[in-house]
Amino acid sequence: MPFLKIEELSIRYPFQSEDVLKGISLDLEQGERVLILGPSGGGKSTLALALNGIIPRAVEADMKGTLLVDGSSPAELSPSAVSRKIGILFQDPETQFCMVTVEEEILFGLENLGLTRTEMEERLETSLELVGLSHVRKAQLQELSGGMKQKLGIACLLAMDPDVLILDEPTANLDPASTQEIFQLLLSISGRLGKTLIFIEHKLDSLLPQMERVIVLDQLGNIMADDGPRLVFEQYYDAIKENGIWVPHLLQFARLLEEKGMQWSRLPLTIEEWQEELAMHGKEDMQEWRGAAAEADGLNGGEGQTETVAGHELPWQVTAESSFVSREGTPILKIRDLSFSYGGRDILKSISLDVRPGEFMALVGPNGTGKTTLSQLLIGLLKPAAGDIQLNGVRYQDLKQNELMKQAGYVFQNPEHQFVCDSVEQELAFGYKISGWKPEEWQPMVEEQLEKFRLRAVREHNPFSLSQGQKRRLSVATMLTNDQQLLILDEPTFGQDQVNTEALMNLLQELNSMGKSIIMITHDMELVYQYASKVVLLQEGTVAYQGEPGHFFENHALLKNAAITVPLSYRLKPWLQAFKEDKVLC
């Protein structure tokens, strides 16, 4: 009998007219490595919660069909029994924390398993070491960065040692190097101990080749595809794109070359397979090809150009980059010698930088280096220990909070931190109401936001009941109600499917073209390469780099030291440019 068995499973939440999952059936064997893909709000996290028994035990929902874990229904087992068989890392790990310090959080779960003190201590130390958090064992959770909290959630899961690990966006807040470390750690544990891994993830390029099986849910909660990774994307590529689901960047570029005449003997899932295929078509000398492509367009700059894949634009070079040098005039935001400390630890050390009108700045750096802290200083939520911040020439200490909020908008790393109303519609209207708008003035604006951010179907829902992707879209929409000139967004694409990520980034690009200045905190180097006109790298609390993205990605020593990887788009540009110049290989 399969370790996980699902037959005709349908789930509907209260006050909703449609099922989130519609009669799905699956068998999963012990030790399988499975990736679940689907659009935002398509039922991925709902399936994960049902597998763990949280639905319907703790989250109210109407559930029909059969769901068995090792022959038993999770809903009928005790929480302790379920946690030994199947563990889950939530999309937002903060929602499963209940203690004050790092070690207390891990020990809490182990105490509920009834383990001895010696075994608990061994598991505590091992799990912290595996995720690289031994140095913050005694730290309070409120001191941790978003990425460190995500690592703590993984440590809690590993310490419980369940047979099945469900990982809902386990690397969403992690820097690129930490992402690879966590992927390799989980895959290694699965291989050595026979653990079943179920990933819900959108960072696909390095993960997909390691998966044995890909299950794709469509927008209506049905299973669209269920097969090996290569077969799924060979047979269902167009349907996956039509449903707004993430496709690995490498496969998007492979499809582009198909349209240019390339004939793949097998769809490449890795860079190595890509190179092998190209060599088969008579281009063994990759250096020659790289040189030709670099000469044609120039890796150190050049005009912004775009190509399309299946209707989506793919940048060859950052369109805004060439105009970065022309961003002159008085800075809208001026930061000088800014420092901040917490709990006796220096978080930021003498930060100085400018943000000019119309600039699109990406704020990047390793986990725990102070990016979110800096953003909260810029919005007045924290007060600096030293230094000065000026917005449009006015020092922050001379600005009232309401005056600051009229000029600068902020999207929290955790969108739930900014919700104050009982429905999506009320949340969108709140900013207009407190600004004195009349109903006949704000109602058309709310309708426009509901449509633009694909929230019309959930307009009456409580914001806290939305999927993570819907919460993020709502948080961005509410920020835009006051038409601020400076927009600060902390991981704005977290939890988004591909179509909503593209829509959001296109909207930000449109606002940027209208002269608004944008500061985007992100670990997604593809977004940095595609959209930013300027990169600021924070490392160990100081500014290690500020300048153009092109130069940033050429500084390999800097990137290695900062645990940042070059985006795949940048690495593949020479091959793509060669095709663009009609140097087709077949």
Side-chain angles (χ1 to χ4, degrees):
M1 183 177 182
F3 193 78
L4 294 176
K5 187 171 185 63
I6 303 172
E7 290 183 341
E8 295 296 325
L9 180 66
S10 296
I11 296 177
R12 181 181 300 189
Y13 291 111
F15 310 112
Q16 294 193 4
S17 58
E18 297 289 336
D19 292 342
V20 179
L21 295 175
K22 297 182 179 179
I24 67 170
S25 296
L26 291 170
D27 288 345
L28 279 74
E29 302 294 342
Q30 192 160 8
E32 272 196 283
R33 299 190 301 274
V34 179
L35 173 66
I36 299 178
L37 298 177
S40 175
K44 304 183 300 296
S45 296
T46 296
L47 177 58
L49 294 175
L51 286 171
N52 189 251
I54 294 174
I55 293 177
R57 180 189 294 115
V59 176
E60 185 180 356
D62 180 21
M63 191 169 84
K64 299 176 181 178
T66 302
L67 195 162
L68 300 176
V69 177
D70 195 19
S72 301
S73 170
E76 296 175 357
L77 296 173
S78 68
S80 176
V82 171
S83 63
R84 293 177 187 273
K85 293 182 179 294
I86 188 163
I88 182 171
L89 175 69
F90 291 169
Q91 196 171 28
D92 176 10
E94 280 193 73
T95 60
Q96 61 195 98
F97 295 155
C98 59
M99 304 303 287
V100 176
T101 69
V102 169
E103 67 174 1
E104 289 173 350
E105 189 62 45
I106 297 176
L107 289 172
F108 176 77
L110 299 180
E111 288 172 348
N112 282 278
L113 292 181
L115 302 179
T116 66
R117 185 177 296 274
T118 300
E119 189 171 1
M120 285 194 295
E121 180 65 25
E122 289 176 353
R123 291 198 187 189
L124 170 64
E125 293 180 354
T126 299
S127 62
L128 286 173
E129 183 178 351
L130 285 172
V131 300
L133 290 182
S134 297
H135 65 293
V136 293
R137 171 175 173 166
K138 300 290 185 180
Q140 295 189 10
L141 301 191
Q142 64 183 15
E143 300 175 30
L144 303 184
S145 69
M148 295 169 77
K149 288 175 181 176
Q150 198 143 33
K151 288 184 176 181
L152 174 58
I154 294 171
C156 291
L157 189 60
L158 295 177
M160 298 292 285
D161 194 31
D163 296 316
V164 179
L165 284 73
I166 303 175
L167 303 132
D168 196 348
E169 300 277 3
T171 65
N173 291 318
L174 298 185
D175 59 58
S178 295
T179 293
Q180 295 308 312
E181 290 171 5
I182 292 300
F183 281 161
Q184 290 306 314
L185 169 63
L186 293 168
L187 292 168
S188 174
I189 290 173
S190 173
R192 287 188 293 107
L193 304 178
K195 302 290 186 184
T196 301
L197 297 181
I198 301 176
F199 283 95
I200 301 171
E201 180 60 80
H202 77 266
K203 296 179 182 178
L204 301 181
D205 283 283
S206 61
L207 183 64
L208 186 68
Q210 308 295 329
M211 295 293 98
E212 298 171 331
R213 185 174 170 188
V214 175
I215 299 169
V216 185
L217 300 176
D218 65 17
Q219 294 175 343
L220 300 177
N222 302 302
I223 293 179
M224 177 199 306
D226 181 4
D227 214 322
R230 202 183 313 272
L231 285 175
V232 164
F233 281 98
E234 284 177 343
Q235 297 176 11
Y236 296 94
Y237 182 95
D238 291 335
I240 289 171
K241 291 288 287 185
E242 288 170 5
N243 275 265
I245 300 168
W246 280 106
V247 173
H249 293 94
L250 186 67
L251 297 190
Q252 294 185 58
F253 292 128
R255 174 56 69 94
L256 173 60
L257 296 199
E258 278 187 5
E259 295 177 357
K260 295 290 185 179
M262 180 67 184
Q263 296 178 6
W264 305 100
S265 63
R266 62 172 180 172
L267 191 65
L269 298 183
T270 66
I271 288 287
E272 292 73 24
E273 291 181 356
W274 170 285
Q275 292 176 336
E276 290 171 7
E277 285 281 331
L278 295 180
M280 290 170 56
H281 287 271
K283 279 290 183 182
E284 292 86 352
D285 189 352
M286 296 299 169
Q287 287 301 120
E288 174 190 343
W289 202 10
R290 288 191 186 96
E295 182 179 353
D297 190 41
L299 284 176
N300 296 325
E303 295 180 359
Q305 304 177 45
T306 62
E307 189 64 82
T308 62
V309 176
H312 296 279
E313 287 194 346
L314 292 173
W316 302 97
Q317 183 70 336
V318 183
T319 307
E321 187 170 343
S322 60
S323 61
F324 162 66
V325 293
S326 67
R327 305 293 191 198
E328 302 294 345
T330 304
I332 185 175
L333 183 69
K334 185 180 291 186
I335 303 169
R336 293 293 180 270
D337 300 318
L338 192 69
S339 297
F340 182 81
S341 301
Y342 185 85
R345 184 168 68 95
D346 292 334
I347 309 297
L348 297 174
K349 309 168 190 175
S350 298
I351 298 289
S352 294
L353 57 90
D354 293 337
V355 179
R356 299 185 182 279
E359 210 161 53
F360 198 130
M361 189 184 91
L363 185 59
V364 304
N367 293 123
T369 198
K371 301 183 296 298
T372 294
T373 297
L374 176 58
S375 71
Q376 292 182 351
L377 286 164
L378 298 182
I379 204 65
L381 295 178
L382 298 174
K383 302 298 180 185
D388 185 55
I389 309 174
Q390 294 183 23
L391 182 61
N392 288 318
V394 181
R395 301 178 69 191
Y396 266 39
Q397 51 263 51
D398 298 326
L399 273 175
K400 294 181 180 180
Q401 188 66 32
N402 65 333
E403 295 173 340
L404 175 60
M405 298 304 293
K406 289 179 181 178
Q407 299 180 64
Y410 183 62
V411 172
F412 285 79
Q413 187 175 38
N414 185 335
E416 293 184 355
H417 290 173
Q418 64 194 84
F419 295 153
V420 295
C421 297
D422 293 330
S423 76
V424 169
E425 186 172 6
Q426 292 172 10
E427 196 72 47
L428 288 171
F430 182 77
Y432 297 115
K433 289 179 178 179
I434 64 174
S435 297
W437 288 44
K438 298 177 181 179
E440 58 269 23
E441 295 173 327
W442 59 255
Q443 284 173 348
M445 304 297 293
V446 168
E447 292 297 326
E448 180 181 341
Q449 297 291 65
L450 288 169
E451 184 67 29
K452 182 180 294 184
F453 288 91
R454 301 178 68 182
L455 294 170
R456 188 175 296 280
V458 294
R459 65 188 303 159
E460 299 297 335
H461 292 197
N462 189 295
F464 292 93
S465 71
L466 304 180
S467 73
Q468 195 68 30
Q470 291 166 336
K471 289 175 184 176
R472 172 55 75 199
R473 297 203 297 278
L474 177 58
S475 68
V476 174
T478 57
M479 177 196 69
L480 298 176
T481 57
N482 289 325
D483 195 33
Q484 300 96 328
Q485 288 303 302
L486 175 64
L487 306 178
I488 305 171
L489 304 100
D490 197 346
E491 296 286 356
T493 61
F494 169 64
Q496 295 298 312
D497 56 18
Q498 186 158 357
V499 69
N500 283 305
T501 293
E502 291 174 351
L504 173 58
M505 294 309 301
N506 288 339
L507 173 62
L508 293 179
Q509 197 170 44
E510 179 184 343
L511 293 169
N512 181 236
S513 69
M514 295 164 58
K516 295 186 185 297
S517 302
I518 294 174
I519 300 175
M520 176 180 68
I521 299 174
T522 185
H523 290 299
D524 190 332
M525 293 302 113
E526 291 287 347
L527 295 183
V528 174
Y529 179 51
Q530 293 179 25
Y531 294 97
S533 62
K534 178 180 179 180
V535 177
V536 172
L537 169 65
L538 287 187
Q539 191 168 10
E540 297 180 355
T542 63
V543 176
Y545 174 91
Q546 54 178 316
E548 298 181 7
H551 296 154
F552 177 67
F553 290 122
E554 290 165 9
N555 194 329
H556 300 297
L558 177 72
L559 298 182
K560 182 177 180 181
N561 191 43
I564 288 175
T565 55
V566 175
L568 191 62
S569 300
Y570 189 87
R571 295 172 62 189
L572 293 181
K573 179 184 173 182
W575 288 287
L576 299 168
Q577 186 62 39
F579 269 86
K580 190 164 184 270
E581 296 294 321
D582 292 327
K583 298 171 184 175
V584 183
L585 303 185
C586 51

